[in-house]
Amino acid sequence: MRSGENQTRQDGGELVVNSLQDETGLRLRKTIYVLLAVTALGTAFGRIVQVRAATGESPMLSANDRSRWCTIAALVNEGTYAIDSLIERRHPDTNRRHWYSIDMVRHRAADGKEHAYSSKPPLLPTLLAGEYWLIKNTLGLDIVEHPFYVMRAMLLVTNGMLLLLYFWLMAGLIERLGTTDWGRIVAFAIVAWGTLVTTYAVTLSNHLPAAV
């Protein structure tokens, strides 16, 4: 009887030790996850607040995101998906068509005339048009007149929230599928620093939403 009791106590003690070790390992991993996520997020934010086209006229880096920004501006400022006026707009200093994008198509509208439209799926720009509407109607900032303030602010909010969600979801997957402390930590380090997801956070694209 005493032998059985001793065995029970020994087994119970091992369970307690293992439980404490598991809890300590989990706390350590979570701390490292947070540090990796914060540093990656901070780097992305730092790049967003400095993002600027090679020509220096706007924060729009390519025809890809210019096409989406055109739709956002047209929806709020003009109430239409047609982007004709934006793609023809010229910068006052360089006289370049700095909103122009090759990512567009032409369709005949209800007025019987052909108009230019973004060739990008309309869901993302339509959703973000609501964010721009709030900025314009609360802060009085127009995206055409103040592209650096408005676009950078929208990238910080939108892509920042998506990055946080991305890190949280990946941490959950790693915790569920991982088997060792080091394996999980290395996996999350790759999630934070070994991916193009954070690279695309400085521009308006479908890569980050798609990854999430």
Side-chain angles (χ1 to χ4, degrees):
M1 192 67 173
R2 290 182 178 177
S3 176
E5 289 177 355
N6 290 337
Q7 184 65 41
T8 300
R9 289 172 183 170
Q10 182 178 357
D11 292 344
E14 289 178 355
L15 288 174
V16 170
V17 171
N18 290 337
S19 178
L20 289 173
Q21 289 176 343
D22 289 344
E23 290 179 5
T24 302
L26 179 59
R27 285 197 297 269
L28 175 62
R29 292 196 304 272
K30 285 185 175 180
T31 300
I32 294 175
Y33 293 165
V34 170
L35 290 174
L36 289 169
V38 167
T39 53
L41 194 62
T43 301
F45 278 12
R47 292 171 58 225
I48 288 173
V49 297
Q50 296 181 25
V51 65
R52 180 183 295 268
T55 55
E57 298 149 334
S58 77
M60 298 179 285
L61 298 180
S62 68
N64 191 307
D65 62 336
R66 283 197 299 271
S67 182
R68 291 185 173 90
W69 285 119
C70 281
T71 299
I72 293 170
L75 280 173
V76 177
N77 290 0
E78 302 173 17
T80 178
Y81 280 93
I83 60 175
D84 305 77
S85 62
L86 289 157
I87 60 175
E88 295 300 328
R89 186 178 181 84
R90 294 183 179 273
H91 194 273
D93 297 329
T94 64
N95 201 37
R96 286 170 45 87
R97 291 188 297 175
H98 58 299
W99 283 78
Y100 186 81
S101 173
I102 60 173
D103 290 336
M104 62 180 178
V105 294
R106 297 192 68 83
H107 288 295
R108 193 174 303 279
D111 60 2
K113 300 178 181 179
E114 284 195 348
H115 295 279
Y117 298 87
S118 170
S119 60
K120 300 300 175 184
L123 178 58
L124 180 61
T126 302
L127 292 173
L128 293 182
E131 184 179 341
Y132 166 46
W133 183 90
L134 287 174
I135 292 175
K136 183 176 182 180
N137 287 276
T138 56
L139 301 179
L141 294 175
D142 188 287
I143 196 170
V144 176
E145 301 299 330
H146 306 282
F148 287 99
Y149 292 120
V150 177
M151 292 179 187
R152 286 173 176 173
M154 290 180 64
L155 289 174
L156 285 171
V157 173
T158 304
N159 289 354
M161 291 177 63
L162 286 172
L163 277 177
L164 283 174
L165 182 57
Y166 163 72
F167 291 139
W168 180 72
L169 290 172
M170 291 303 296
L173 285 173
I174 289 169
E175 281 297 308
R176 187 172 67 184
L177 302 177
T179 57
T180 65
D181 288 341
W182 280 112
R184 291 180 173 117
I185 291 170
V186 169
F188 194 84
I190 294 171
V191 164
W193 287 99
T195 174
L196 286 175
V197 171
T198 49
T199 301
Y200 281 111
V202 302
T203 185
L204 186 61
S205 73
N206 61 351
H207 297 292
L208 182 51
V212 171

